[in-house]
Amino acid sequence: MSANATVPDATGGPTFAEIFGPVFWGFCVSLILGGVSALQGYLYFTRYNDKFLVRAVAAMMLVLDFTSMALICQSMYYYMLPHFGSFAPLGAVTSELNVECLISAVITFTSQMYFVYQLYMVKSAGMTAAVMKALIIVFGMVGLSGAIGCVAMMFMYPHSIFTNRNHVFAVLAGIAKGFGAAADIIATIAMCMFLKSADTGIKRTSSMLKALMHLVINRGILVTAAQILLLITFFATAGHLYWLAVHINTTKLYVNTFFGMLNARTSLQERYATGHMSLSGETTAYSQRLVAAAIPASPKTAAHEKFGELDTQNYAMGAIRVTTSSTVADI
């Protein structure tokens, strides 16, 4: 973004409203998404009793999201209120916004690695599965590295972010968002492939797998579209702050889709938990691992693993039980 792009002149440069208008409306949307995150988090922690690691990651995501929201509020106050009508604040990026960018990178990376964890729980064999998991990790780490590099440049050259954009900062931002989008695309394709391969042709199992695929695809479309839109606005509209409006909402989308996947178990349980499904065959056992990985179940006690009994006191909302000749899986 050039200096002339943010400072109005006599020839009819952009006004204060034209520069900050998109950021203001993006901020309004982020407040709504922040409220949705709070609701999603409340529903998750009051309904489910997952493994400690999953609950710890969920708690971290929620805390980081609230912290990000507070930092965005402070930054919007600084840019729009104390110096209303002046473009002087755009001369430097605030420390709060720098920290928010780092939090955004951590949330994005955590969400992507949680998909790797789900794929790992599937324990699918074959070179394709291994390559896809490796690509998600590599692309996610490259994207995180690019984002950390962006934050470092923002701290080192705060006066070359909004105006007279630093070239290295622009390159690192492109790497962060480009590889982030690539990791999300691969994660979505990988999970859909594994779920598709588990289809046994039995109506109830197929319906459940299709529902899971819809969740995965919708999540992938949302976050990938946000990353691509951020890339486009960052490079194609350098004379405005459209990219900043998209950026402050991308983090919220990752948090909301993360909790949305976890909380989707309630509707799936209500839809498919009527009765027990007695299936057989190795393919069905593989299907169970895929479904359990995509939507993790509440932990079982040793007695449950031994006798295969379902105790509703130890399950937050009950579970869908799929029984084969050799395996009992609580979904």
Side-chain angles (χ1 to χ4, degrees):
M1 183 185 303
S2 67
N4 291 334
T6 58
V7 180
D9 52 34
T11 61
T15 64
F16 185 86
E18 290 173 337
I19 292 296
F20 287 100
V23 181
F24 171 78
W25 291 114
F27 174 62
C28 291
V29 174
S30 71
L31 289 175
I32 297 173
L33 294 178
V36 175
S37 298
L39 176 60
Q40 292 268 36
Y42 172 79
L43 293 176
Y44 172 72
F45 285 105
T46 56
R47 292 184 177 186
Y48 299 102
N49 186 29
D50 290 327
K51 295 178 181 179
F52 173 78
L53 177 62
V54 177
R55 291 174 64 84
V57 171
M60 183 193 74
M61 294 281 276
L62 207 57
V63 170
L64 289 178
D65 188 48
F66 289 158
T67 305
S68 170
M69 193 72 255
L71 294 172
I72 291 173
C73 289
Q74 171 59 28
S75 298
M76 293 303 99
Y77 169 83
Y78 172 79
Y79 285 120
M80 302 182 68
L81 293 182
H83 308 283
F84 179 77
S86 172
F87 289 87
L90 287 179
V93 63
T94 65
S95 298
E96 292 83 2
L97 197 57
N98 293 346
V99 176
E100 191 281 328
C101 288
L102 180 60
I103 291 175
S104 176
V106 173
I107 288 177
T108 299
F109 182 74
T110 302
S111 177
Q112 292 167 343
M113 292 305 103
Y114 184 70
F115 249 70
V116 175
Y117 166 75
Q118 290 177 315
L119 294 172
Y120 173 78
M121 293 300 293
V122 171
K123 295 181 174 60
S124 53
M127 182 61 68
T128 301
V131 170
M132 283 191 161
K133 294 173 189 175
L135 284 177
I136 299 170
I137 295 174
V138 171
F139 285 1
M141 293 186 66
V142 172
L144 177 63
S145 300
I148 293 175
C150 285
V151 174
M153 296 301 296
M154 292 168 73
F155 275 109
M156 293 171 60
Y157 305 101
H159 300 284
S160 302
I161 303 302
F162 294 138
T163 61
N164 299 315
R165 181 185 293 168
N166 184 283
H167 177 70
V168 177
F169 167 75
V171 172
L172 290 173
I175 291 174
K177 304 309 175 184
F179 279 91
D184 290 321
I185 292 172
I186 294 174
T188 302
I189 294 174
M191 184 60 78
C192 289
M193 285 177 57
F194 297 155
L195 291 174
K196 181 65 176 178
S197 66
D199 194 347
T200 61
I202 299 174
K203 184 176 181 180
R204 185 176 295 180
T205 304
S206 298
S207 298
M208 181 183 292
L209 292 176
K210 287 179 181 178
L212 290 174
M213 288 180 65
H214 289 161
L215 286 173
V216 173
I217 292 172
N218 289 337
R219 180 264 179 195
I221 290 175
L222 279 174
V223 296
T224 302
Q227 294 279 30
I228 293 175
L229 181 61
L230 182 53
L231 267 177
I232 293 174
T233 53
F234 185 82
F235 289 105
T237 60
H240 293 272
L241 297 180
Y242 297 123
W243 68 271
L244 187 59
V246 179
H247 165 77
I248 61 180
N249 285 289
T250 301
T251 302
K252 302 295 178 291
L253 286 178
Y254 273 101
V255 175
N256 274 283
T257 54
F258 174 84
F259 279 104
M261 295 271 305
L262 291 175
N263 289 329
R265 286 174 288 183
T266 300
S267 61
L268 287 177
Q269 286 164 352
E270 292 173 350
R271 189 181 306 174
Y272 299 106
T274 55
H276 297 295
M277 301 192 319
S278 295
L279 308 176
S280 60
E282 296 180 358
T283 304
T284 303
Y286 177 60
S287 170
Q288 296 166 14
R289 294 198 302 271
L290 286 167
V291 176
I295 299 185
S298 300
K300 295 188 294 183
T301 64
H304 292 144
E305 293 178 353
K306 181 177 181 180
F307 300 106
E309 298 177 353
L310 176 62
D311 181 357
T312 56
Q313 297 298 322
N314 292 317
Y315 288 79
M317 289 296 292
I320 303 169
R321 172 153 293 187
V322 182
T323 305
T324 69
S325 57
S326 58
T327 308
V328 175
D330 292 303
I331 302 169

